[in-house]
Amino acid sequence: MLAFFHLIVQEKSPRTLYFFSEEDMRWLTDDPSYTAEWRRLFLGVLSQGNHIIVVHQVSRRMNEMLDAVVNWIPIYMTDQVSAYYYPKIRDDLFQETILYAPGVAAILSRSIKYHSENNINFLIRDPRALESVEEDFQHYLDVCLPLMTSYNANTSEPKQIFKKLGDFYHQEGNTMIAAPLPSFFPCRMPCCKKWPSRMPCPSSSPCRRT
């Protein structure tokens, strides 16, 4: 993977990169030094203006999901990543990895579930082979759905963020919220207006209720 990123960094023009992996991610996270080097090169790729389309595997084990969250948060904060997922159930017995940079290179890998320690990784640079990889990835992306939307305080308008939050809370269905304070979004306005009158004012500082 490091060789793949080095090839992208050498390119002068930015492009859209395509990532997908179902395989065990311990090879990427077990060695802290390798993880740090991978993250450094990845952020270098993003600093050149490249955009990432990634299809996440949402049926991973819990420890892999948590590691993925930690490693991907700094990357999502760049606003240069679009995340997708495949919505249907798969048995995941045969797993594969596709990393593709149009016109530059691709990495292909395939393994049996939980047995990726000795799998073979192919670094492909042949133009005709790269066209085939792009076609396969696009067919898969066509049956995937958006996984999330990330917002950056430096680049996103507050109104846009609150509109999305409002749309989310008005969707029908069960919702679980873990927060230190009550959420105001599900509450109707008459209820919100009654809250200040129920809150005691400290005797040392008078309150102003509106």
Side-chain angles (χ1 to χ4, degrees), residues 42-63:
F42 199 178
L43 292 176
V45 167
L46 293 173
S47 70
Q48 293 181 323
N50 294 290
H51 185 81
I52 309 294
I53 291 180
V54 56
V55 180
H56 283 293
Q57 180 71 3
V58 294
S59 59
R60 292 186 179 276
R61 292 175 294 186
M62 181 57 67
N63 63 317

Side-chain angles (χ1 to χ4, degrees), residues 75-82 148-152 155-156:
I75 297 167
Y76 276 116
M77 292 301 99
T78 64
D79 283 344
Q80 293 171 246
V81 179
S82 300
M148 67 179 71
T149 303
S150 59
Y151 295 94
N152 188 309
T155 59
S156 301

Side-chain angles (χ1 to χ4, degrees), residues 164-185:
K164 285 292 184 180
L165 285 173
D167 292 343
F168 169 76
Y169 279 112
H170 284 89
Q171 295 295 319
E172 293 186 2
N174 297 328
T175 303
M176 180 179 293
I177 301 175
L181 296 173
S183 174
F184 288 91
F185 284 97

Side-chain angles (χ1 to χ4, degrees), residues 14 16 18 38-39 49 53 63 75 77 85 90 96 104 106 120 124 130-131 133 143 167 170 175 180 190 199 201:
T16 299
Y18 302 87
W38 167 83
R39 187 184 292 116
I53 291 180
N63 63 317
I75 297 167
M77 292 301 99
Y85 74 102
R90 301 177 59 181
E96 63 179 332
V104 181
I120 301 175
I124 299 173
L130 292 178
E131 290 178 3
V133 173
V143 295
D167 292 343
H170 284 89
T175 303
M199 299 174 62
C201 294

Side-chain angles (χ1 to χ4, degrees), residues 8-200:
I8 299 172
V9 169
Q10 294 172 11
E11 294 293 314
K12 296 181 180 179
S13 59
R15 63 203 66 215
T16 299
L17 312 177
Y18 302 87
F19 293 175
F20 165 70
S21 181
E22 302 168 295
E23 295 183 287
D24 193 328
M25 301 301 290
R26 284 178 295 179
W27 64 271
L28 185 62
T29 58
D30 280 358
D31 184 348
S33 61
Y34 183 85
T35 303
E37 179 66 8
W38 167 83
R39 187 184 292 116
R40 184 187 68 81
L41 285 172
F42 199 178
L43 292 176
V45 167
L46 293 173
S47 70
Q48 293 181 323
N50 294 290
H51 185 81
I52 309 294
I53 291 180
V54 56
V55 180
H56 283 293
Q57 180 71 3
V58 294
S59 59
R60 292 186 179 276
R61 292 175 294 186
M62 181 57 67
N63 63 317
E64 289 185 308
M65 294 292 289
L66 293 175
D67 287 340
V69 169
V70 171
N71 288 311
W72 278 90
I73 282 179
I75 297 167
Y76 276 116
M77 292 301 99
T78 64
D79 283 344
Q80 293 171 246
V81 179
S82 300
Y84 294 83
Y85 74 102
Y86 181 70
K88 296 184 178 181
I89 297 175
R90 301 177 59 181
D91 62 16
D92 297 332
L93 176 61
F94 294 97
Q95 301 180 332
E96 63 179 332
T97 293
I98 303 175
L99 309 178
Y100 172 59
V104 181
I107 289 181
L108 301 183
S109 175
R110 181 168 294 176
S111 62
I112 301 297
K113 191 172 184 177
Y114 302 142
H115 296 282
S116 60
E117 56 275 4
N118 292 318
N119 62 324
I120 301 175
N121 298 290
F122 297 93
L123 178 62
I124 299 173
R125 303 198 65 187
D126 179 77
R128 291 184 62 185
L130 292 178
E131 290 178 3
S132 178
V133 173
E134 180 173 9
E135 184 176 350
D136 285 346
F137 198 104
Q138 190 59 55
H139 287 322
Y140 185 50
L141 191 61
D142 288 343
V143 295
C144 292
L145 298 174
L147 176 62
M148 67 179 71
T149 303
S150 59
Y151 295 94
N152 188 309
N154 297 323
T155 59
S156 301
E157 290 290 335
K159 290 183 179 180
Q160 180 186 18
I161 299 174
F162 279 101
K163 182 181 183 305
K164 285 292 184 180
L165 285 173
D167 292 343
F168 169 76
Y169 279 112
H170 284 89
Q171 295 295 319
E172 293 186 2
N174 297 328
T175 303
M176 180 179 293
I177 301 175
L181 296 173
S183 174
F184 288 91
F185 284 97
C187 297
R188 297 186 180 276
M189 187 56 67
C191 178
C192 292
K193 288 182 177 180
K194 292 181 180 179
W195 282 7
S197 62
R198 299 178 180 179
M199 299 174 62

